[in-house]
C-alpha cells in the first residue's frame, strides 16, 4: 500500500528500475539470437549431456568417448593417446598433431569425484537437470564446465584454420584421473606423448572470479590465475623402541608414547611465515584497490606478514598460502590386548610446501623438532619441485581476454595450495595457467565436490567468450 508521496516516488523509481532491467535482459537475449547456440551447439545442452555420463575417477572412458565423438563430428583432428576404462586420454586439434606446429593446449579433466549420498541432492547427481538457469550435477563445475567452454571456443576456429595457416595449433586435451593425482592422465601425457603434443602453453583448471574481495569495490570480481602451486610431501614417523610388554608398569619410552609425543611436537611447532613471490605479486596487484591499513599491509607484506603471525596462523586459508603446513592424516599401532604395549606405532603427515621451500631444509627442521623422541622419519612420497609459470606473454593474453569480457575485473597471479594437473607441464618447463573463467558465488564454490554442484548457463557463455578472445589474441599476436 502506498501511504505517502515520497513512498510513491520510491515505488515509481523501483518500478522503472525493474522495467529497465527487464528490457535490458530481453535485449541481451535477443542479441544472442538463434536459441543461445555457439557454432550451432547449445552449451547448456552439451554440458547437461556430458554430466549425464558418470565419470567417477577410474571409469572415464564413456564420458571421454562422448566428448571425443563430439570433437570428431565437428571437424577436429582427434588423437586418442590411451584407451582404457580408467585411463582415457585424447587431444582434439585444429590441425593434425603430425604437422608439429607449436600447440596451445586447453586442458580439462574428464573424471569427477563420487556423488556421495543421492539423498543430499536436489536433482539426481547424474541427471544433468537444467533448471533455474543452471546445469545441475556432479562435475557440472569441476571440470565439465571448463571442458565445454574450451571445446566450444575451439570449434569457432575450425573454419579459420582451414582458410588460413594459423601460427599455432590449438588442442583440447581431455585427461583422466585428475582427482586421484593425475597418474592415469596428465602424467602419462607428459611422460610419453609430450613431443607429439608439442605444447607451447597450457591453460587448465585453477582459480575462478570471486567478488567481495576488494574493500573499495566489493562487486568487482577478482580472477586469480594459477601460476604456481605448493608441493606435496607425505611423511611417516615411526617408533619401534624396545619396551616392556605389559601396560601395568609404563616405561619412560614406548612406541605409542613416542609417536604421540613427536606428533604433538610437530603439530604444535610454530610455522614460519614465508611470503612467496607469487603471493607478494598478487597482493601488490590487489593493493591498488585498497586504502589505509589494508593497503599498507598488502604493499609491505614482507614486513607486516610476520608481525601478524598469530592472525595468519589461525586462519587456515591464509596460513595455507603463507606457511608450509603439516596435517596428521593417520595414526596407528600394532593391535594387541588393551593391557599390551604395542611393539610399534606410526603416524603419517601430509605436508604441503611452498614452491621455494628446500626439501632438505624442511626435513632438517622436522628432524630437529622430533629429536627428543625415539622415532625415525620416512619420506613416503615427495612431489618434485615445480617451477612457477612466468607472467609473460601467455599470462597477459589471458589477462586481456578476461578484461575483454569482464571489463572491470581485477586479474592477479595466484598460488594454488592443492595440486592439479598443471604441475606436470610446469615440471617439463611448459608454462601452465590455471583458471575457470567464470564469476563464482561462494555458494557455487561450496558445491564443488559436495551436493548440488551446478553451473550457471550465463557463466558458460561468458567463459566461452573469454576463451575465444584468448585464442584470437594469441593467433593474432603469436609472440614469436
Ligand atoms: Zn578439477
Amino acid at each position: 500500500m502506498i501511504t505517502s508521496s515520497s513512498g510513491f516516488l520510491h515505488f515509481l523509481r523501483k518500478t522503472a528500475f525493474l522495467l529497465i532491467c527487464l528490457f535490458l535482459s530481453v535485449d541481451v537475449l535477443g542479441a544472442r539470437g538463434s536459441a543461445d547456440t555457439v557454432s550451432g551447439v547449445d552449451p547448456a545442452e552439451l554440458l547437461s549431456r556430458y554430466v549425464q555420463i558418470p565419470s567417477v575417477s577410474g571409469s572415464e572412458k564413456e564420458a571421454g568417448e562422448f566428448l571425443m565423438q563430439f570433437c570428431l563430428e565437428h571437424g577436429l583432428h582427434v588423437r586418442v593417446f590411451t584407451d582404457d576404462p580408467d585411463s582415457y586420454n585424447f587431444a582434439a586439434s585444429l590441425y593434425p598433431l603430425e604437422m608439429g606446429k607449436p600447440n596451445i593446449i586447453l586442458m580439462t579433466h574428464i573424471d569427477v569425484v563420487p556423488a556421495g549420498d543421492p539423498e543430499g541432492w536436489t536433482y539426481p547427481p547424474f541427471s544433468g537437470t537444467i533448471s533455474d538457469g543452471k546445469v545441475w550435477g556432479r562435475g557440472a563445475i569441476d571440470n565439465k564446465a571448463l571442458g565445454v567452454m574450451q571445446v566450444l571456443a575451439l570449434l569457432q576456429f575450425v573454419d579459420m584454420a582451414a582458410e588460413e595457416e594459423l601460427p599455432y595449433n590449438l588442442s583440447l586435451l581431455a585427461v583422466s584421473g585428475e582427482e586421484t593425482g593425475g597418474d592415469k592422465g596428465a602424467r602419462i601425457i607428459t611422460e610419453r606423448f609430450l613431443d607429439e603434443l608439442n605444447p607451447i602453453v597450457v591453460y587448465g583448471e585453477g582459480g575462478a572470479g570471486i567478488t567481495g574481495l576488494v574493500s573499495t569495490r566489493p562487486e568487482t570480481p577478482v580472477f586469480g590465475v594459477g601460476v604456481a602451486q605448493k608441493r606435496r610431501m607425505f611423511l611417516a614417523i615411526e617408533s619401534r623402541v624396545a619396551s616392556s610388554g605389559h601396560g601395568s608398569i609404563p616405561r619412560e619410552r614406548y612406541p605409542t608414547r613416542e609417536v604421540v609425543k613427536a606428533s604433538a611436537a610437530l603439530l604444535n611447532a610454530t610455522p614460519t611465515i614465508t611470503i612467496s613471490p607469487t603471493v607478494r605479486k598478487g597482493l601488490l596487484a590487489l593493493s591498488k584497490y585498497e586504502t589505509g591499513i589494508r593497503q599498507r599491509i598488502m604493499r609491505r607484506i614482507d614486513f607486516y606478514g610476520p608481525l601478524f603471525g598469530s592472525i595468519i596462523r589461525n586462519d587456515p586459508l591464509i596460513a595455507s598460502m603463507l606457511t608450509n603446513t603439516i596435517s596428521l592424516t593417520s595414526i596407528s599401532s600394532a593391535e594387541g590386548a588393551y593391557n599390551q604395549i604395542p611393539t610399534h606405532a606410526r603416524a603419517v603427515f601430509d605436508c604441503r610446501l611452498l614452491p621455494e621451500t628446500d626439501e632438505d631444509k624442511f626435513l632438517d627442521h622436522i628432524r630437529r623438532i622430533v629429536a627428543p623422541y625415539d622415532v625415525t622419519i620416512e619420506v613416503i612420497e615427495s612431489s618434485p619441485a615445480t617451477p612457477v609459470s612466468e607472467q609473460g606473454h601467455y599470462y597477459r593474453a589471458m589477462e586481456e581476454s578476461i578484461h575483454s569480457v569482464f571489463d572491470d575485473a581485477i586479474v592477479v597471479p595466484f598460488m594454488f595450495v592443492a595440486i592439479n594437473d598443471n604441475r606436470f607441464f610446469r615440471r617439463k618447463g611448459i608454462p601452465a595457467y590455471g583458471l575457470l573463467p567464470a564469476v563464482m558465488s561462494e555458494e557455487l564454490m561450496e558445491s564443488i565436490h559436495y551436493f548440488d554442484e551446478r553451473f550457471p548457463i550465463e557463466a558458460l557463455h561468458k567463459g566461452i567468450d573469454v576463451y575465444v578472445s584468448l585464442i584470437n589474441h594469441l593467433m593474432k599476436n603469436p609472440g614469436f
Side-chain angles (χ1 to χ4, degrees), residues 109 142-143 178-179 205:
H109 62 84
D142 183 11
N143 193 233
E178 191 279 339
E179 301 288 1
E205 74 172 324

Side-chain angles (χ1 to χ4, degrees), residues 4 44 47 76 142 311 317 334 359 369 450:
S4 71
L47 178 58
L76 296 173
D142 183 11
I311 298 173
L317 203 67
E359 182 182 313
I369 295 171
Y450 195 56

Side-chain angles (χ1 to χ4, degrees), residues 309-350:
S310 63
I311 298 173
I312 287 172
R313 289 184 198 98
N314 286 326
D315 183 314
L317 203 67
I318 299 177
S320 69
M321 305 283 287
L322 301 182
T323 65
N324 295 321
T325 58
I326 301 176
S327 300
L328 173 60
T329 53
S330 160
I331 186 156
S332 59
S333 67
E335 280 282 332
Y338 290 153
N339 64 357
Q340 212 178 3
I341 301 273
T343 52
H344 68 269
R346 175 180 155 100
V348 177
F349 294 84
D350 179 352

Side-chain angles (χ1 to χ4, degrees), residues 343-455:
T343 52
H344 68 269
R346 175 180 155 100
V348 177
F349 294 84
D350 179 352
C351 309
R352 302 297 171 117
L353 314 188
L354 293 164
E356 37 293 307
T357 300
D358 181 273
E359 182 182 313
D360 293 331
K361 281 192 184 138
F362 178 77
L363 280 172
D364 282 345
H365 169 70
I366 299 286
R367 272 188 207 103
R368 274 197 300 276
I369 295 171
V370 304
Y373 312 101
D374 216 317
V375 294
T376 55
I377 298 173
E378 178 205 349
V379 178
I380 303 172
E381 184 200 302
S382 174
S383 61
T386 304
V388 175
S389 296
E390 286 195 26
Q391 286 128 256
H393 182 66
Y394 299 108
Y395 175 88
R396 287 196 300 276
M398 178 51 108
E399 188 174 43
E400 278 179 35
S401 58
I402 293 167
H403 282 138
S404 75
V405 177
F406 305 94
D407 35 313
D408 66 334
I410 300 167
V411 182
V412 295
F414 174 72
M415 183 182 68
F416 211 61
V417 296
I419 54 169
N420 67 25
D421 280 344
N422 297 331
R423 73 189 191 283
F424 293 108
F425 288 89
R426 290 194 186 121
R427 281 178 203 155
K428 298 285 181 188
I430 296 146
Y433 302 99
L435 183 74
L436 176 66
V439 178
M440 301 278 283
S441 67
E442 210 169 311
E443 204 189 346
L444 287 180
M445 291 295 274
E446 280 169 2
S447 76
I448 299 173
H449 289 205
Y450 195 56
F451 298 127
D452 283 347
E453 184 174 348
R454 59 203 186 276
F455 196 75

Side-chain angles (χ1 to χ4, degrees), residues 136-208:
W136 298 63
R138 172 59 77 235
I141 304 176
D142 183 11
N143 193 233
K144 292 181 172 176
L146 187 72
V148 166
M149 288 173 188
Q150 291 170 333
V151 74
L152 290 183
L154 210 170
L155 290 190
Q156 295 188 42
F157 293 84
V158 171
D159 291 344
M160 198 192 281
E163 281 160 20
E164 57 182 296
E165 187 70 25
L166 297 173
Y168 293 108
N169 197 352
L170 175 67
S171 296
L172 174 82
L173 175 65
V175 294
S176 291
E178 191 279 339
E179 301 288 1
T180 48
D183 289 347
K184 300 279 185 176
R187 183 189 293 278
I188 294 176
I189 300 299
T190 51
E191 285 180 358
R192 288 169 44 197
F193 302 103
L194 202 63
D195 288 348
E196 194 181 340
L197 193 64
N198 199 23
I200 190 118
V201 61
V202 174
Y203 295 99
E205 74 172 324

